[in-house]
């Protein structure tokens, strides 16, 4: 079995006119670094689970993306972070929601999976669990960038003050297959700018924005989270493959078409049991990349790449 890795850094209105050259270059460099982090694991015969965590941690630290440092802010001006990770062999999973003091939420999610009897922890309980297990902390001052405060201020001043459904700065995620044929998926996000009332999107919900099953595929999604939840996106793609006999590309396009028909938008990366990873997007752009055994790094941003 050949190893492979795919990542995303969010989908939305990224066009050549919208992004500066510096942003374009910086985002591509970060995507490449994340792919290299996962490649280091997989090329040495390491586990898919380790590879997706390694890749997502790079993206969580990079301020080009909406996860960890540089996360979008809630209506109250707080970086509230969500993440999930899933092992395709056992379908073990861990997730956290609404954490505010953790540098790498994806690592916290994995710790929940491996060292608790639960799948999803939220808020103060997740923070206490992180403290008990020595998860690396981060202050709000470190997580929040000035430009995210400016984006929130503009949104709050706008008529209606609705949260940002355009997902201009997106969720990050990774899907991998290791040399033993095992799959894994991980996703991490700051949600959407201006979210209120403890809103939680699809990223930390197993079967929605994050899913992995060795019998079918691994999935990480980004976009209008409410619609990905309503379609049970990740599980639906896997079910179409495993039970409906569809190939990964057909299943992914079909589920994304349902999301668009309902009024949502976004993008999805999928790692099938065999063959190359795929992606599908219904937006002007999606930060994305992939690499596999014997294939060079590929990174892209715009829909026409």
């Amino acid at each position: 079995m050949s190893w492979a890795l795919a990542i995303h850094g969010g989908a939305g209105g990224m066009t050549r006119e919208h992004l500066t050259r510096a942003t374009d270059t910086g985002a591509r460099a970060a995507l490449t670094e994340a792919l290299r982090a996962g490649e280091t694991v997989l090329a040495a015969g390491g586990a898919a689970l380790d590879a997706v965590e390694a890749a997502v941690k790079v993206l969580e630290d990079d301020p080009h993306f909406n996860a960890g440092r540089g996360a979008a802010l809630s209506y109250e001006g707080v970086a509230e972070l969500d993440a999930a990770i899933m092992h395709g062999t056992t379908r073990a999973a861990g997730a956290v929601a609404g954490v505010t003091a953790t540098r790498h939420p994806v690592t916290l999610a994995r710790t929940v999976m491996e060292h608790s009897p639960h799948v999803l922890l939220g808020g103060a309980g997740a923070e206490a669990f992180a403290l008990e297990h020595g998860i690396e902390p981060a202050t709000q001052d470190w997580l929040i960038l000035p430009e995210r405060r400016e984006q929130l201020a503009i949104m709050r001043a706008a008529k209606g003050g609705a949260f940002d459904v355009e997902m201009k700065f997106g969720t990050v995620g990774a899907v991998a297959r290791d040399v033993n044929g095992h799959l894994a998926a991980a996703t991490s996000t700051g949600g959407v700018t201006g979210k209120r009332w403890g809103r939680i999107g699809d990223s930390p919900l197993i079967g929605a924005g994050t899913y992995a099953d060795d019998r079918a595929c691994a999935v990480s999604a980004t976009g209008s989270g409410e619609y990905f939840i309503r379609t049970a996106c990740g599980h639906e793609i896997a079910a179409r493959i495993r039970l409906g006999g569809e190939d990964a590309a057909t299943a992914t396009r079909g589920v994304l078409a349902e999301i668009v028909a309902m009024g949502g938008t976004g993008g999805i990366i999928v790692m099938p049991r065999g063959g190359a990873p795929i992606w599908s997007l219904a937006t002007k752009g999606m930060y994305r990349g992939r690499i596999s055994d014997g294939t060079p790094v590929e990174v892209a941003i715009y829909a026409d790449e």
Side-chain angles (χ1 to χ4, degrees):
M1 181 66 66
S2 63
W3 61 263
L5 172 71
I7 62 173
H8 70 77
M14 290 84 77
T15 65
R16 290 177 176 84
E17 295 74 28
H18 174 73
L19 296 187
T20 66
R21 179 172 295 185
T23 299
D24 180 300
T25 301
R28 291 178 192 271
L31 291 168
T32 300
E33 183 183 354
L35 287 170
R36 293 301 187 196
E39 176 191 26
T40 298
V41 174
L42 295 169
L49 194 69
D50 294 331
V52 295
E53 181 186 9
V56 168
K57 286 174 69 175
V58 171
L59 299 174
E60 286 177 332
D61 275 349
D62 194 287
H64 286 93
F65 310 107
N66 172 19
R69 190 160 192 258
L73 303 183
S74 71
Y75 192 81
E76 292 75 26
V78 179
E80 299 174 352
L81 312 177
D82 307 333
I85 194 167
M86 187 167 184
H87 193 301
T89 307
T90 62
R91 280 175 283 163
V96 293
V99 298
T100 60
T102 297
R103 178 175 177 180
H104 292 298
V106 68
T107 297
L108 178 55
R110 182 171 180 173
T111 305
V112 171
M113 179 182 75
E114 295 179 336
H115 298 285
S116 87
H118 308 303
V119 171
L120 174 61
L121 302 182
E127 304 280 15
F129 182 85
L131 186 63
E132 289 175 12
H133 288 80
I135 301 300
E136 185 177 2
T139 65
Q140 284 281 298
D141 285 344
W142 187 84
L143 293 168
I144 297 174
L145 301 180
E147 50 263 44
R148 298 294 186 259
R149 294 193 188 278
E150 293 169 8
Q151 290 161 7
L152 177 63
I154 292 170
M155 179 163 295
R156 291 188 62 170
K159 186 176 181 180
F163 67 71
D164 180 11
V165 295
E166 295 180 7
M167 303 297 288
K168 298 185 189 69
F169 300 93
T171 297
V172 308
V175 292
R177 182 182 64 240
D178 60 35
V179 294
N180 295 309
H182 300 315
L183 305 177
T187 314
S188 183
T189 188
V192 291
T193 300
K195 63 183 180 179
R196 304 184 74 176
W197 309 299
R199 179 264 188 188
I200 297 169
D202 63 306
S203 298
L205 302 186
I206 302 303
T210 307
Y211 195 69
D213 184 341
D214 279 6
R215 299 172 298 175
C217 63
V219 179
S220 179
T222 174
S224 312
E226 280 68 17
Y227 297 92
F228 286 81
I229 294 170
R230 289 164 59 189
T231 57
C233 170
H235 186 272
E236 181 73 2
I237 291 171
R240 286 182 178 223
I241 294 170
R242 184 170 66 89
L243 303 176
E246 295 182 357
D247 62 83
T250 300
T252 304
R253 287 195 301 268
V255 173
L256 188 55
E258 286 186 22
I259 289 168
V260 171
M262 293 169 66
T265 190
I268 308 167
I269 57 172
V270 177
M271 182 64 67
R273 294 175 61 192
I278 65 165
W279 51 55
S280 185
L281 57 152
T283 53
K284 294 179 180 179
M286 179 168 75
Y287 296 116
R288 60 200 189 274
R290 56 190 169 193
I291 186 173
S292 57
D293 189 9
T295 302
V297 164
E298 176 186 0
V299 296
I301 298 176
Y302 311 111
D304 60 1
E305 292 187 84

